[in-house]
Amino acid sequence: MTQRFAVVLAAGQGTRMKSKLYKVLHPVAGKPMVGHVVDQVEAAGADKIVSIVGVGAEKVQEYLGDRSEYALQEKQLGTGHAVLQAESLLSGKEGTVLVICGDTPLLTAETLTGLFDYHQNQGAKATILTAHAEDPTGYGRVIRSESGAVEKIVEQKDASPVEAAVQEINTGTYCFDNKLLFEALNEVGNDNAQGEYYLPDVIEILKNKGEIVGAYQMEHEAESLGVNDRVALAEATRLMRARINEKHMRNGVTFMDPQSTYIDSEVVIGSDTVVEAGVVLKGKTVIGEDCFIGANSEISNSKIGDRVRVVSSNIEDSVMEEDSNVGPYSHLRPNSNIGKSVHIGNFVEVKNANIGEDTKVGHLTYVGDADLGKNINIGCGTVFVNYDGAKKHRVTIGDNSFIGCNANLIAPVTVEENVYVAAGSTITDDVPSESLAIARAKQVNKLDYYKKMPRK
């Protein structure tokens, strides 16, 4: 099989984004645009990827790492000049090179594979990925002869009125014979309205040499969307989210209102899970089968087991094992590990804690820096007092213990198994197993006190 290479154009400054963030690093559905592009290029079988970087190059390299090699375009002199920066890494190699923009996050591996295959099957030396656009404004036009052969590509600024009326657009993605591409790039001039070296001029150069130039029209124009400003970024995000939601629904997930459900690209959801309106699932969250994710819940980078219920709650960097539940209006902060069949009720905050099987934390409670065993009951209003003003300390509670309402557990402290802690107690010392701990002032009643109080 012919070797496949890819050049990712990621050097644009993106001035229209009006942002301090490098353009191709702006996220779409939780992943930088260039990440989506490289994912799809890899899936299309590229053997070697070269990313052309410019201002902010180190941030792109930090993100992509060794998934790509890099070439620096110090001055922004056009797309042809950008690709030429990869010459030292690719020149002389036999094979096909894909040139793709790093701000086209909607292109799919299926489309790119189709482009590669069409290019090879046609014996072409250049193939343009095109689309039919109802409104082609802003795109280069693909100009064909009467026989349908590709003659040239004309940029919007340089197009005549007749050429500007053409609706077949250049998406900015191409396949080339690798050797011929770099030979032709050295012949490209900059005699145009922008004074830049246009990559599409390679098409005309190869055409004039009698080489075969093809055009592969994609099925869905929306894939070709290039992001140059925040408006296009929002549209790309909308389209990507619709694609993600459709994939999950076709895999057996129920969405009550897909238009108001926001799921990042790497989220995994098991079948027969129900997701209500306003839910946000971020990062690398994994949700099991037969779960219920209630309205306005937000879950990020967490693992949710089978048959878990999340009701209007926030979960970050945590684990909920099967048959557990949380909410409404609770918050699992990072490193919360919720065991099987655990109940976390309403208005509960858990942080950096392990909660064992069948334990119940009903409501209005803070559990921070703690290790709880199995079958424990934590009463309403209990506070795990974990911070002394300088350091965090842990609380440990053994199996089958009962912590009464409004208790304060002052860390570091250990409550062993089968213990009762009386309501309203402030526990500062370890409690041995099989004990009842009471730590509250003795009640005093002052008789006839009401009569002595001054009143209006």
Side-chain angles (χ1 to χ4, degrees):
M1 181 178 172
T2 303
Q3 274 203 302
R4 293 180 173 182
F5 312 111
V7 174
V8 179
L9 303 182
Q13 294 182 15
T15 53
R16 282 181 282 173
M17 298 294 286
K18 295 182 171 59
S19 175
K20 295 181 286 296
L21 183 64
Y22 198 54
K23 183 173 80 164
V24 298
L25 294 179
H26 277 267
V28 170
K31 180 183 292 185
M33 290 190 285
V34 72
H36 287 292
V37 172
V38 171
D39 283 350
Q40 301 309 308
V41 169
E42 288 175 335
D47 300 295
K48 182 187 184 78
I49 298 173
V50 178
S51 297
I52 310 301
V53 293
V55 177
E58 67 284 349
K59 295 188 180 300
V60 176
Q61 290 179 244
E62 182 182 341
Y63 172 68
L64 290 177
D66 59 6
R67 298 174 68 190
S68 173
E69 295 182 38
Y70 302 92
L72 179 65
Q73 185 187 25
E74 294 183 4
K75 295 183 179 180
Q76 308 294 299
L77 300 177
T79 52
H81 178 261
V83 176
L84 193 58
Q85 307 314 300
E87 186 172 22
S88 63
L89 296 170
L90 293 176
S91 181
K93 294 183 182 294
E94 297 279 356
T96 299
V97 59
L98 169 74
V99 179
I100 186 171
C101 296
D103 61 1
T104 53
L106 297 173
L107 283 169
T108 64
E110 291 75 16
T111 293
L112 299 180
T113 300
L115 174 62
F116 268 126
D117 292 344
Y118 180 88
H119 175 80
Q120 289 180 225
N121 294 338
Q122 296 296 310
K125 301 304 180 185
T127 303
I128 311 155
L129 181 62
T130 72
H132 176 84
E134 291 301 320
D135 179 9
T137 303
Y139 290 93
R141 309 303 200 274
V142 177
I143 307 303
R144 295 178 182 264
S145 66
E146 291 183 3
S147 66
V150 176
E151 288 190 338
K152 60 180 178 178
I153 299 171
V154 180
E155 296 298 317
Q156 169 99 16
K157 299 180 183 68
D158 302 311
S160 69
V162 173
E163 291 168 336
V166 171
Q167 290 182 295
E168 186 176 14
I169 62 168
N170 172 24
T171 66
T173 301
Y174 312 84
C175 276
F176 295 100
D177 175 273
N178 189 63
K179 285 185 175 180
L180 290 179
L181 169 63
F182 290 102
E183 290 176 10
L185 279 172
N186 285 289
E187 300 178 31
V188 171
N190 64 344
D191 184 18
N192 52 60
Q194 294 296 99
E196 294 185 348
Y197 299 89
Y198 290 149
L199 179 61
D201 289 353
V202 169
I203 301 298
E204 194 166 359
I205 291 170
L206 294 177
K207 189 76 176 173
N208 291 338
K209 292 182 177 182
E211 304 291 356
I212 298 174
V213 174
Y216 177 74
Q217 189 169 117
M218 64 170 59
E219 184 177 355
H220 304 292
E221 180 205 346
E223 281 190 38
S224 68
L225 178 67
V227 175
N228 290 310
D229 58 24
R230 305 291 182 126
V231 175
L233 182 66
E235 178 64 6
T237 299
R238 182 186 70 81
L239 292 168
M240 181 67 80
R241 293 203 185 282
R243 179 189 295 176
I244 290 167
N245 290 357
E246 180 178 343
K247 177 193 73 173
H248 288 298
M249 287 186 284
R250 294 194 182 280
N251 287 336
V253 179
T254 295
F255 289 104
M256 302 305 290
D257 183 6
Q259 285 72 35
S260 67
T261 305
Y262 305 93
I263 301 179
D264 283 354
S265 60
E266 296 191 9
V267 170
V268 176
I269 308 176
S271 64
D272 290 317
T273 286
V274 175
V275 181
E276 290 197 322
V279 167
V280 180
L281 305 179
K282 296 181 176 181
K284 296 185 178 182
T285 291
V286 177
I287 295 176
E289 297 182 354
D290 302 297
C291 294
F292 173 83
I293 311 299
N296 304 312
S297 293
E298 182 174 312
I299 305 174
S300 61
N301 296 309
S302 296
K303 184 176 180 180
I304 308 299
D306 296 340
R307 300 176 302 280
V308 168
R309 289 181 60 86
V310 178
V311 183
S312 301
S313 294
N314 283 22
I315 303 174
E316 320 169 55
D317 303 289
S318 293
V319 174
M320 291 186 70
E321 296 187 25
E322 56 262 37
D323 300 302
S324 58
N325 65 84
V326 61
Y329 312 119
S330 288
H331 188 184
L332 303 185
R333 291 169 58 194
N335 200 29
S336 296
N337 297 295
I338 310 303
K340 297 177 183 179
S341 302
V342 166
H343 168 64
I344 305 292
N346 53 300
F347 298 103
V348 173
E349 181 175 345
V350 181
K351 187 268 296 183
N352 191 28
N354 304 302
I355 300 181
E357 184 175 351
D358 289 320
T359 288
K360 297 175 176 57
V361 185
H363 37 220
L364 297 163
T365 290
Y366 171 66
V367 181
D369 298 287
D371 299 291
L372 280 65
K374 299 178 180 179
N375 193 37
I376 296 167
N377 185 87
I378 305 294
C380 174
T382 296
V383 177
F384 287 61
V385 186
N386 58 334
Y387 185 49
D388 65 7
K391 295 181 180 180
K392 300 288 180 69
H393 302 277
R394 296 190 75 80
V395 172
T396 301
I397 301 180
D399 297 347
N400 307 312
S401 291
F402 181 97
I403 310 300
C405 294
N406 200 35
N408 293 308
L409 305 172
I410 312 297
V413 71
T414 297
V415 176
E416 296 186 3
E417 69 276 4
N418 305 316
V419 162
Y420 284 86
V421 172
S425 293
T426 296
I427 303 299
T428 58
D429 297 320
D430 292 349
V431 182
S433 61
E434 313 288 336
S435 301
L436 166 64
I438 305 174
R440 58 194 184 200
K442 184 177 180 180
Q443 181 173 328
V444 177
N445 296 329
K446 300 289 187 179
L447 301 179
D448 297 322
Y449 185 76
Y450 180 81
K451 298 176 181 178
K452 299 174 183 177
M453 285 297 295
R455 292 185 295 278
K456 293 183 180 179

